[in-house]
Amino acid sequence: MKSVSFVSLLFLGLIAGVHGGYSYPPMPLVKFYTKECPEARGIVQSTVVAAIKKNVGSGAALWNLHYHDCFVRGCDGSILLDSSNYGPAEKESGVPDSPKEIAYDIIDEIKYAVETICPRTVSCADILTLAARDAIAELGGPEWKVCSGRLDGFISYANESKFYMPGPSADYQTLVQKFALKGLTEMDMVVLSGAHSIGKVKCSVIESSLYNSSGPCGVDPTLDPTYAMELKAQCPIGSSNLVFLTPPDTSVNGSSPVPYPGHRRLLATRSAGNVPSKRYYVQVSGKNRKKGKDAKSNQNLKVRNSKGTLRSDRNLMSTKSGKALVYREAGFSEKDLASAADKENQPFFHDLVKSMEKLSTLKDPSSPGGEVRCNCRSINL
């Protein structure tokens, strides 16, 4: 059901103006709900685990939803609001990322369970932030510190999503600028692009790169031609199919990458194409190591066209600084590898933790206050 907002809230949204001054100061406490609702974090975690066990794609959907929420008005749960009589909400923006619908139902389930135990205590914004972290940890990725104490915002406009969210065809300069508006660095941008290591995208988003570009047979000249043929087989013209953002690695009997050392392993539910890993950067770079005794030499890296599924992914290779950061996250330079026992996904996981802690604490000081919603889809009346 569509929610109805007060006229005063619409007015507050109008006077908020263009958002700026995003910052990421520490949230109040890591254990914010220890006294008020000690069961909250356990409920979030168990619900997320059950959802991923049922549908492994839930993890990517939750991560994508959290990313979208924080990029518009900060991490305030505005992406969860339904459209009102005053216009379409953020969720109606049509931003063609990975499918997110399943994530809304998971957040609703968590909110209902938490409200039953601790009414009007745990915000939807905190629930979404915790759920995204727990999802990535469950899929074999790293855990990052999640502080709590966010309030839920009152305002959600689709046009703001279109303005602030970088699109799937964004060039490198635009990507850097969009992230800079949030106080995030060029490195943060490249690291957070690693979210495309999991999940799927609609064929309609990449159709122009496969059929309507300037390269041979209509293929984007920056896209690896062999990979383009694979995508065309999955995405005939006009298809509504979904394809992996980073294709599964079937080179080793379809096995998954080694999980982050010491991370919380709850279930053996990881599967190819749904495991956070530095493989995304290897694909985007168009490079592959030669096997054998010279595997560690950068001189033995063969350059190929990019296998980034989205044009924005391939555009990470369009500048010297972008290439350097992609190579770093791919682990091609031995000096950049972390000293952890498991170097399989380093330094990507180490950098991802730092960037996600920044992203998850973004705030917009121009937004008009907040509340703890009873229903994540509508403001309290």
Side-chain angles (χ1 to χ4, degrees):
M1 179 180 294
K2 302 289 184 183
S3 62
V4 179
S5 302
F6 290 120
V7 175
S8 60
L9 293 178
L10 176 63
F11 175 71
L12 286 171
L14 293 174
I15 65 173
V18 177
H19 311 312
Y22 276 81
S23 60
Y24 30 86
M27 299 301 291
L29 291 170
V30 173
K31 299 181 179 180
F32 187 77
Y33 298 109
T34 300
K35 294 182 179 180
E36 295 85 353
C37 193
E39 304 94 336
R41 290 191 175 224
I43 291 173
V44 174
Q45 178 182 316
S46 61
T47 306
V48 168
V49 169
I52 291 177
K53 185 175 182 180
K54 183 178 180 180
N55 183 341
V56 72
S58 300
L62 286 166
W63 199 8
N64 181 276
L65 202 65
H66 173 54
Y67 169 87
H68 186 145
D69 182 45
C70 293
F71 239 74
V72 183
R73 294 185 175 272
C75 310
D76 67 345
S78 56
I79 186 63
L80 303 173
L81 286 171
D82 284 342
S83 296
S84 72
N85 291 344
Y86 299 103
E90 288 175 35
K91 62 171 62 174
E92 307 296 336
S93 65
V95 177
D97 295 322
S98 60
K100 298 188 282 281
E101 289 301 321
I102 189 174
Y104 292 114
D105 294 334
I106 297 170
I107 299 302
D108 286 342
E109 182 180 351
I110 295 171
K111 182 61 174 176
Y112 178 81
V114 172
E115 283 295 305
T116 301
I117 299 173
C118 313
R120 297 201 177 197
T121 302
V122 184
S123 69
C124 298
D126 276 349
I127 288 174
L128 178 54
T129 304
L130 287 163
R133 188 278 308 274
D134 289 347
I136 297 310
E138 170 58 17
L139 291 173
E143 290 188 76
W144 52 88
K145 180 176 65 177
V146 174
C147 296
S148 301
R150 299 165 188 79
L151 291 177
D152 298 320
F154 297 117
I155 299 168
S156 184
Y157 296 142
N159 62 343
E160 292 188 331
S161 290
K162 294 177 180 179
F163 180 80
Y164 288 106
M165 289 289 294
S169 297
D171 60 32
Y172 195 82
Q173 182 179 8
T174 299
L175 290 168
V176 171
Q177 290 174 344
K178 295 277 189 180
F179 277 75
L181 286 173
K182 307 296 176 289
L184 297 170
T185 66
E186 180 181 7
M187 181 171 181
D188 290 324
M189 181 273 288
V190 174
V191 171
L192 292 173
S193 293
H196 293 170
S197 64
I198 62 174
K200 295 183 177 182
V201 66
K202 295 178 181 178
C203 284
S204 59
V205 176
I206 63 173
E207 187 173 286
S208 63
S209 291
L210 302 177
Y211 298 101
N212 299 314
S213 292
S214 59
C217 301
V219 175
D220 188 315
T222 66
L223 180 60
D224 179 87
T226 301
Y227 182 46
M229 292 300 294
E230 295 175 9
L231 290 175
K232 281 188 172 185
Q234 301 174 71
C235 295
I237 295 176
S239 171
S240 59
N241 294 340
L242 299 172
V243 295
F244 282 111
L245 282 162
T246 298
D249 182 4
T250 57
S251 60
V252 190
N253 300 320
S255 60
S256 300
V258 178
Y260 187 60
H263 85 293
R264 183 178 68 240
R265 284 294 301 122
L266 302 176
L267 296 170
T269 54
R270 294 179 299 139
S271 66
N274 287 292
V275 183
S277 77
K278 70 177 185 181
R279 176 171 164 75
Y280 162 78
Y281 298 99
V282 176
Q283 294 287 117
V284 167
S285 73
K287 289 190 171 191
N288 286 291
R289 290 185 184 279
K290 282 187 176 181
K291 296 181 180 180
K293 62 180 181 179
D294 294 326
K296 294 184 179 181
S297 172
N298 280 335
Q299 295 179 351
N300 292 307
L301 294 174
K302 185 177 180 181
V303 179
R304 300 175 178 175
N305 289 339
S306 176
K307 293 183 181 180
T309 302
L310 301 181
R311 185 174 287 116
S312 60
D313 294 332
R314 301 192 294 277
N315 285 341
L316 297 183
M317 298 294 292
S318 65
T319 69
K320 183 177 180 180
S321 59
K323 285 181 181 179
L325 290 170
V326 169
Y327 291 165
R328 167 186 163 81
E329 299 308 317
F332 285 134
S333 176
E334 295 302 319
K335 66 180 181 181
D336 287 329
L337 290 175
S339 59
D342 172 23
K343 296 181 180 179
E344 175 66 26
N345 279 306
Q346 299 297 352
F348 172 46
F349 279 5
H350 176 266
D351 295 339
L352 181 62
V353 167
K354 294 190 292 184
S355 293
M356 283 305 302
E357 287 180 353
K358 286 184 181 182
L359 178 72
S360 65
T361 51
L362 287 179
K363 299 176 67 177
D364 179 8
S366 68
S367 287
E371 63 179 358
V372 175
R373 291 185 212 135
C374 298
N375 182 335
C376 292
R377 293 176 181 264
S378 61
I379 63 172
N380 298 332
L381 299 178

